[in-house]
Amino acid sequence: MTTTTGHLPALAAAVLQPGFVGTTPPQWVCRWLGDGLGSVVLFARNVVDTEQVAALTATLRAERPDVIVAIDEEAGDVTRLESVHGSSRPGNFALGAVDDPALTEAVARDLGVELATAGVTLNYAPDADVNSNPANPVIGVRSFGADPALVARHTAAWVRGLQAGGVAACAKHFPGHGDTRVDSHHDLPRITADRDRLDACELAPFRAAVAAGVQAVMTGHLLVPALDPHLPATLSQRILGGLLRDELGFSGVVVTDAVEMRAVADRYGFAGATVRALAAGADAICIGGERADEQAARELRDAIVAAVISGELPEERLAEAAKRVGQLAAWTVAARSAGLAGARGAADVGLVAARRAVRVTAGPGTTVALPLTRAAHVVEFEPLRNIAIGAETPWGIGGPLGELLPGTSTVRYAEPDVPADPGAGADARPLVLVVRDLHRHDWMRAAVHRALAVRPDAVVVELGVPELVTGAVHLATHGATRASGRAAAEVLTGAR
């Protein structure tokens, strides 16, 4: 009997979700769409504005009408659609602080309609991780919070809202990236919780997402010995098949986190991790921001084909994965039409939500007077950002505060550059110290301590996780988006 393999390249291409460089699709992407490629993923490098993205996706659909166009748009600190200016919506942590699931659903639906208008059909969001470890370097404000029940109800609300807007949601990073001190972009995190703890904490939001009808789940490159002592979740049949499919009852598309991330690529290789993930039960392979050319896509496609021919990857498993991707594609075509036909929410729903998330804490006997009524001096302390957030996205409150208090000055310091007296330029003006995750950075805490010793009347504004509250007046936004910065500036000046 002769076995033909000519159909395998198209099957292999169907399960890839590659990125590319440029604000228009390169020729190789258009060619691949005609040869079986089922999906692409957009990053900040592909985005100028909504109109340009709409033109880009229209070009893709001219090649394949049901192509899945994915993006990593959390509508918080992690934004691709608004990376130039910062997100006009607050992120998960701010929505969790408000704890109004109806508001969360409205924000997500508003985002869904915007994405659908731009031609995006799959969003790698919401982040369903429970940020139970405040020292976590990669999740933080991307999570709805540290309480599993809160995270679960807002994950479900976000899924409902986004999908009502016409875009497939993708809950991540299964089975939960919240209790780590390691960023999986750089190394393999290890989750040491036992199964009872996992059920009570990490898995609760994913159960809620499945119950809400989430169309996709993204795997985390995480070693969870209580579930599989040997393989990270992305490569584990026990976790993807036994837990996610059989126990949680998920029937949608399982998408990997970017397969070139060092947590898996350093151990199993770029192509090796891809083949292992498909064999374990993944349906779609995300090729993230670091490998964005035809050579990378061809390397993975050829490795998948070779694995099928050698017997390492059963053809039935590859066909099943491609079928699920096709089913998601069909869902997105119908959902996008329905979402665009629906009414969009209030144009300022993001700013409304950001305003509701601001919390002000005043120390006993404080002499700091709010609102500020004259030009201030703003000192912003900038920590290293993780890869997920991206270096291109602006943040801070100096800009919006300067609009409300003309003459306001702003300086920004990173770790090596902080002077002995960080607030020295303030003179007699109000001093505002802006921090992100103050509790995680020794150098930042030392600098703020020095500034407060000289100017105890300074206001501290925390744009990250407010684990450490300090200063006579402390303002927490629960995120560093453009909307959060504006909301903070309004509170400081009494504009609202």
Side-chain angles (χ1 to χ4, degrees):
M1 178 181 294
T2 302
T3 301
T4 60
T5 60
H7 64 293
L8 292 180
L11 271 183
V15 302
L16 299 180
Q17 293 189 347
F20 56 87
V21 176
T23 55
T24 58
Q27 290 184 357
W28 74 265
V29 169
C30 295
R31 186 175 67 253
W32 276 56
L33 287 171
D35 292 337
L37 182 66
S39 314
V40 298
V41 57
L42 304 181
F43 292 90
R45 62 179 176 238
N46 306 119
V47 175
V48 176
D49 53 34
T50 302
E51 292 74 21
Q52 168 268 324
V53 175
L56 182 157
T57 58
T59 301
L60 295 172
R61 287 199 169 80
E63 302 293 336
R64 178 167 185 158
D66 67 344
V67 60
I68 296 171
V69 181
I71 200 168
D72 191 7
E73 178 58 56
E74 295 178 11
D77 287 22
V78 176
T79 179
R80 311 303 182 215
L81 200 63
E82 298 187 275
S83 63
V84 174
H85 303 293
S87 178
S88 57
R89 303 171 181 88
N92 284 2
F93 201 65
L95 294 171
V98 177
D99 196 13
D100 179 351
L103 177 65
T104 295
E105 187 168 342
V107 170
R109 181 174 184 182
D110 186 64
L111 173 64
V113 173
E114 182 173 3
L115 291 174
T117 300
V120 174
T121 56
L122 170 63
N123 189 9
Y124 295 154
D127 189 311
D129 301 311
V130 180
N131 196 56
S132 56
N133 185 347
N136 195 312
V138 69
I139 302 302
V141 296
R142 300 169 65 193
S143 166
F144 288 110
D147 174 53
L150 179 146
V151 176
R153 63 178 170 267
H154 286 277
T155 294
W158 216 95
V159 167
R160 290 193 300 268
L162 185 74
Q163 295 189 167
V167 175
C170 179
K172 64 186 183 186
H173 306 83
F174 186 81
H177 207 317
D179 190 13
T180 72
R181 287 177 174 265
V182 175
D183 182 346
S184 52
H185 289 90
H186 305 298
D187 204 350
L188 180 63
R190 183 185 180 95
I191 310 295
T192 59
D194 61 23
R195 181 58 199 265
D196 288 344
R197 162 74 180 187
L198 292 170
D199 279 330
C201 185
E202 279 77 8
L203 296 178
F206 292 99
R207 293 184 190 276
V210 172
V214 71
Q215 290 295 308
V217 169
M218 176 174 280
T219 67
H221 302 323
L222 311 162
L223 186 66
V224 190
L227 302 175
D228 188 326
H230 305 297
L231 292 170
T234 299
L235 314 182
S236 171
Q237 198 283 328
R238 292 186 189 181
I239 295 175
L240 301 188
L243 177 58
L244 181 57
R245 295 289 189 201
D246 298 339
E247 290 191 40
L248 271 62
F250 178 64
S251 59
V253 168
V254 176
V255 184
T256 70
D257 206 344
V259 78
E260 72 269 33
M261 289 166 62
R262 296 184 64 181
V264 292
D266 279 3
R267 289 163 175 78
Y268 304 97
F270 181 50
T274 295
V275 170
R276 285 172 175 259
L278 289 167
D283 304 305
I285 305 297
C286 173
I287 311 172
E290 298 173 57
R291 299 288 303 270
D293 53 34
E294 185 176 10
Q295 180 181 349
R298 184 184 296 114
E299 180 181 342
L300 296 191
R301 182 193 62 187
D302 292 351
I304 294 168
V305 170
V308 172
I309 293 173
S310 70
E312 182 182 0
L313 174 62
E315 183 176 343
E316 294 79 8
R317 170 80 273 274
L318 178 61
E320 177 187 50
K323 180 180 179 181
R324 285 206 184 100
V325 171
Q327 290 170 338
L328 176 59
W331 184 96
T332 63
V333 170
R336 180 168 177 256
S337 297
L340 291 176
R344 189 170 180 179
D348 61 349
V349 64
L351 183 56
V352 168
R355 287 168 176 158
R356 290 180 61 184
V358 176
R359 301 289 183 269
V360 178
T361 303
T366 180
T367 59
V368 179
L370 288 182
L372 306 179
T373 57
R374 55 199 176 96
H377 182 63
V378 179
V379 181
E380 297 177 340
F381 298 98
E382 181 167 31
L384 288 174
R385 289 190 244 185
N386 66 64
I387 293 174
I389 292 176
E392 73 280 349
T393 306
W395 65 278
I397 69 166
L401 189 60
E403 293 174 6
L404 297 173
L405 293 176
T408 291
S409 58
T410 302
V411 295
R412 180 170 289 184
Y413 298 120
E415 181 174 1
D417 307 320
V418 184
D421 181 6
D427 301 319
R429 292 179 292 164
L431 177 62
V432 181
L433 307 173
V434 183
V435 299
R436 293 179 78 170
D437 291 343
L438 181 65
H439 65 287
R440 292 204 302 110
H441 303 285
D442 293 341
W443 68 270
M444 194 183 296
R445 289 197 302 277
V448 169
H449 178 77
R450 293 197 304 272
L452 289 175
V454 177
R455 288 289 303 270
D457 62 326
V459 178
V460 177
V461 179
E462 172 64 82
L463 302 184
V465 177
E467 186 74 13
L468 176 61
V469 175
T470 189
V473 172
H474 181 276
L475 188 152
T477 62
H478 303 89
T481 72
R482 173 164 52 99
S484 299
R486 175 71 188 188
E490 290 177 349
V491 170
L492 289 173
T493 62
R496 286 193 64 86

